[in-house]
Amino acid sequence: MVKWTDQERSTVRAVWEQINIDEVGPEALARVLIVYPWTERYFGSLGELFTASAVLNNAKVAAHGRVVLRALDEAVKNMDNIEDTYAALSQLHYEKLHVDPDNFRLLADCITITVACKLRSAMGPQVQATWQKFLSAVVDALQSQYH
Amino acid sequence: MSSLTAKDKETVKAFWAKMASKAQDIGADALNRMLIVYPQTKTYFSHWKDLSPGSAQVLKHGKTVMGGVEYAVTQLDDLKAGLLSLSELHAFTLRVDPANFKILSHNILVVMAITFPEDFTPEVHVCMDKFLAALALALAEKYR
């Protein structure tokens, strides 16, 4: 289980408060599909993904981006128990969706970069370190039911 | 090896032109973030007195590294040939585990996003990521 200092908890919450799920979700998912196109293998039902502008204008991508970020909200609310909170999601990603967990890392990096665009200098190095520690914990939790 | 299309190269050069004047600051910020966010990278700098943010050594080295990236932008048509001596330096003298190139690249991308939030679109993001990956590959060429 991951240990958090009070400073780290307040940093994660402070970053999260500045994030608009409806903006960041769609953009982060669009980035992962554009920057790492092999991730499209998991999104056959999302329709047109051939070009960057197709991805950016795809309403299903945007909707799914919001779904992903809403799940992250659960992790922020349950920082001391991310693994249990995500057990069912992990099972889903393994048994039904068959997602290679390396893709979670790719999406996490795209979320960080999208958030960096919004927060700019408010995402100083220490904030980035804490935020990435949080996303690593989420990635590990998503991988926890893989066997 | 390098799969940069003509369009990728154009995008890299165009974005670089925008950021050239801030390149040194970006390099220093990226290196600083790398040392803080990925503390294991500090092991390569045990000979430095001061690894704190804003230290003269970090600033100077950020500039040096970014100078290398700037040079790579001029060698896009053959990164392997262009970066030969830098590769030899990293392989035989510095002996940096190439996994760290990816780490530094990520931090360079984060600082680009922070500095140019409007210009660092997903299209630019993918080109810069490809470029830095190709650069890293060229840098690792002489390792074994």
Side-chain angles (χ1 to χ4, degrees):
Chain A
M1 205 188 73
V2 185
K3 292 213 170 80
W4 305 100
T5 64
D6 288 338
Q7 174 70 34
E8 286 171 332
R9 282 173 210 283
S10 55
T11 298
V12 171
R13 283 183 195 134
V15 170
W16 191 247
E17 258 153 47
Q18 296 177 71
I19 290 175
N20 178 348
I21 286 180
D22 290 333
E23 254 180 36
V24 171
E27 191 183 317
L29 191 67
R31 276 188 193 266
V32 85
L33 292 166
I34 292 167
V35 180
Y36 308 106
W38 54 93
T39 56
E40 286 170 18
R41 77 192 305 281
Y42 302 112
F43 297 104
S45 64
L46 291 186
E48 178 64 62
L49 296 175
F50 289 141
T51 61
S53 55
V55 173
L56 289 163
N57 290 309
N58 186 318
K60 286 186 179 172
V61 170
H64 196 70
R66 289 189 278 270
V67 166
V68 171
L69 271 253
R70 262 177 242 133
L72 213 54
D73 187 46
E74 289 305 305
V76 174
K77 292 196 178 107
N78 293 283
M79 279 175 71
D80 288 314
N81 212 358
I82 300 177
E83 202 174 291
D84 283 348
T85 308
Y86 271 46
L89 264 177
S90 176
Q91 240 179 330
L92 173 75
H93 282 76
Y94 180 54
E95 284 169 18
K96 291 259 155 62
L97 305 176
H98 309 290
V99 179
D100 176 347
D102 193 56
N103 294 286
F104 303 148
R105 279 170 260 290
L106 299 179
L107 179 53
D109 282 350
C110 286
I111 291 172
T112 298
I113 284 175
T114 305
V115 172
C117 284
K118 308 290 176 214
L119 265 56
R120 305 197 65 189
S121 56
M123 184 175 263
Q126 285 299 350
V127 173
Q128 183 189 340
T130 303
W131 178 250
Q132 289 195 204
K133 178 181 170 180
F134 168 67
L135 287 183
S136 288
V138 171
V139 166
D140 285 346
L142 266 172
Q143 208 172 332
S144 65
Q145 300 301 312
Y146 279 56
H147 55 84
Chain B
M1 189 204 80
S2 166
S3 60
L4 293 172
T5 64
K7 180 131 205 301
D8 289 337
K9 292 178 193 175
E10 255 178 60
T11 306
V12 170
K13 286 184 189 152
F15 186 68
W16 188 267
K18 281 200 181 106
M19 57 169 272
S21 62
K22 300 202 168 142
Q24 295 187 342
D25 291 334
I26 290 174
D29 192 354
L31 192 72
N32 189 35
R33 281 170 193 270
M34 183 189 78
L35 296 168
I36 290 172
V37 181
Y38 302 88
Q40 70 271 21
T41 58
K42 290 194 286 191
T43 55
Y44 290 99
F45 302 102
S46 53
H47 55 289
W48 282 1
K49 275 198 210 107
D50 183 6
L51 281 168
S52 60
S55 89
Q57 278 170 316
V58 173
L59 283 174
K60 178 161 179 277
H61 198 66
K63 288 181 189 172
T64 304
V65 169
M66 222 51 181
V69 178
E70 184 168 33
Y71 173 67
V73 175
T74 68
Q75 305 294 307
L76 292 178
D77 291 329
D78 194 346
L79 281 169
K80 206 160 81 165
L83 295 180
L84 202 65
S85 50
L86 267 177
S87 179
E88 282 172 350
L89 174 72
H90 285 75
F92 304 128
T93 309
L94 303 176
R95 288 176 290 195
V96 176
D97 186 330
N100 294 286
F101 301 152
K102 199 167 200 290
I103 290 176
L104 180 55
S105 296
H106 169 70
N107 286 289
I108 291 174
L109 294 175
V110 169
V111 179
M112 285 179 181
I114 287 173
T115 315
F116 300 100
E118 307 299 329
D119 297 301
F120 197 68
T121 61
E123 293 95 322
V124 169
H125 178 172
V126 62
C127 290
M128 294 311 292
D129 192 55
K130 281 177 79 171
F131 161 59
L132 291 173
L135 203 175
L137 209 56
L139 220 49
E141 179 65 29
K142 302 304 275 179
Y143 271 62
R144 54 178 177 175

